[in-house]
Amino acid sequence: MHFVVCLKQVPDTSEVRIDPVTNTLMRQGVPSIINPYDAHALEEAICLKEKVGGKVTIVSMGPPQAIEALKKGMSFGADRAILLSDRAFGGSDSLATAYIISTAIRKIHEEDPIDLLFAGKEAIDGDTAQTGPGIAQRLGFPQITYSIKVREITETSVTVERKTEGGRQVVQAQLPALLTVEKELNDLRYASLPNMMNAAKYEPEVWTSKSFPFDAAQMGLKGSPTSVVRIFAPPVRSGGEKIDATKDPAGTAKSIVETLLKENIISDRPLAKGGKL
């Protein structure tokens, strides 16, 4: 079977800083990592490859340095890596990004039919959760989002357990299909030494806007109906009031209750029939 994983290189959010003058992310000196949700998508693709046989292709869109993330992905056991990199792709929002990636994946699918396509639930630098579903929509693939367990895969279908706000849901989709995944899906492996050595020598394919026909009106800033107007760090919250109740527990409790009543956080009025005040 052929598994394809959409993978993004993102700045490590624990190291992100914001320029107070320009209100933009300061990327200088900030380490980049594989988007955590995408890492779990890659892990699941490799697990399925080991279980049922086949191969794993990684596709990423980004600047030339994203090759590092692709090499990292290869060290875990992927078989092929493709980077979509071109200045014409710059400034793409989630809609334009979905167009570019889906166009490339359609080309891959024509040459080597895809059975299952994976994407992380969202990227930690954008949190939109729109690109994966957008790719599925453009390709005409059925999609299962928020996947937490692949229960079964056959030559024609995949059965997945997905997370919902109210619990869990089991869904079956016909192949080819796209899954967006949660971190609960699996545990990440360590790269083996042979795979690390192979990855170090591997050179990912680089596709540009000239590799095959792209519609310039649907990518970059022209193809992006949304834009980031301003980015800023939220103000630092002041600490809450601290109360020492060791000297007078009863008096402190009474004072707290009076404050809660005054602020209408709690009420001393009895509930009417039906549970209403």
Side-chain angles (χ1 to χ4, degrees):
M1 303 190 84
H2 188 192
F3 306 103
V4 173
V5 181
C6 299
L7 183 148
K8 185 178 183 182
Q9 185 185 58
V10 296
D12 188 341
T13 51
S14 65
E15 301 288 340
V16 165
R17 295 170 296 156
I18 296 175
D19 189 316
V21 177
T22 62
N23 289 316
T24 59
L25 292 178
M26 298 172 64
R27 297 180 180 270
Q28 294 80 5
V30 177
S32 294
I33 60 174
I34 293 175
N35 181 50
Y37 295 102
D38 298 349
H40 287 274
L42 176 59
E43 174 65 26
E44 192 65 19
I46 293 171
C47 286
L48 289 175
K49 181 186 81 167
E50 293 171 346
K51 182 179 179 179
V52 302
K55 53 190 170 184
V56 175
T57 299
I58 312 171
V59 178
S60 182
M61 187 181 97
Q65 57 264 35
I67 284 179
E68 297 174 11
L70 290 174
K71 282 179 170 285
K72 183 75 172 178
M74 293 294 294
S75 73
F76 292 124
D79 303 284
R80 182 187 183 190
I82 300 170
L83 175 63
L84 309 174
S85 186
D86 196 302
R87 287 187 177 275
F89 301 154
S92 296
D93 66 0
S94 57
L95 181 69
T97 298
Y99 164 72
I100 295 166
I101 296 177
S102 64
T103 301
I105 290 175
R106 184 177 289 108
K107 179 67 173 178
I108 296 170
H109 188 51
E110 291 172 355
E111 298 174 349
D112 191 355
I114 298 168
D115 295 286
L116 199 54
L117 180 59
F118 288 91
K121 175 186 75 170
E122 62 189 11
I124 61 173
D125 62 347
D127 296 337
T128 65
Q130 295 174 342
T131 304
I135 292 170
Q137 176 67 24
R138 288 181 178 276
L139 292 173
F141 285 9
Q143 58 180 290
I144 303 177
T145 55
Y146 306 106
S147 305
I148 57 173
K149 183 178 181 179
V150 176
R151 290 195 170 192
E152 182 184 26
I153 185 168
T154 69
E155 292 182 355
T156 59
S157 68
V158 61
T159 304
V160 176
E161 185 176 334
R162 66 185 298 269
K163 184 163 67 175
T164 68
E165 291 184 1
R168 300 291 184 267
Q169 186 180 52
V170 177
V171 182
Q172 185 179 80
Q174 295 300 304
L175 301 182
L178 178 141
L179 307 184
T180 69
V181 311
E182 295 273 9
K183 294 179 182 179
E184 297 98 308
L185 183 65
N186 50 46
D187 295 319
L188 300 179
R189 71 184 65 199
Y190 290 100
S192 67
L193 182 58
N195 282 340
M196 291 174 65
M197 294 176 65
N198 290 334
K201 296 181 291 184
Y202 182 83
E203 289 301 325
E205 302 168 43
V206 179
W207 293 0
T208 70
S209 62
K210 297 180 175 58
S211 296
F212 39 90
F214 279 103
D215 181 359
Q218 296 191 60
M219 61 188 191
L221 292 174
K222 287 184 179 180
S224 301
T226 60
S227 62
V228 178
V229 177
R230 183 172 174 237
I231 184 171
F232 59 92
V236 178
R237 294 182 179 180
S238 59
E241 181 182 355
K242 294 182 179 180
I243 301 174
D244 183 0
T246 57
K247 295 180 180 179
D248 182 15
T252 302
K254 181 180 179 181
S255 176
I256 291 173
V257 170
E258 290 174 350
T259 300
L260 294 175
L261 288 169
K262 184 179 179 181
E263 298 293 333
N264 291 320
I265 296 173
I266 62 174
S267 174
D268 59 351
R269 290 179 293 166
L271 291 177
K273 186 177 182 181
K276 297 181 180 180
L277 290 174

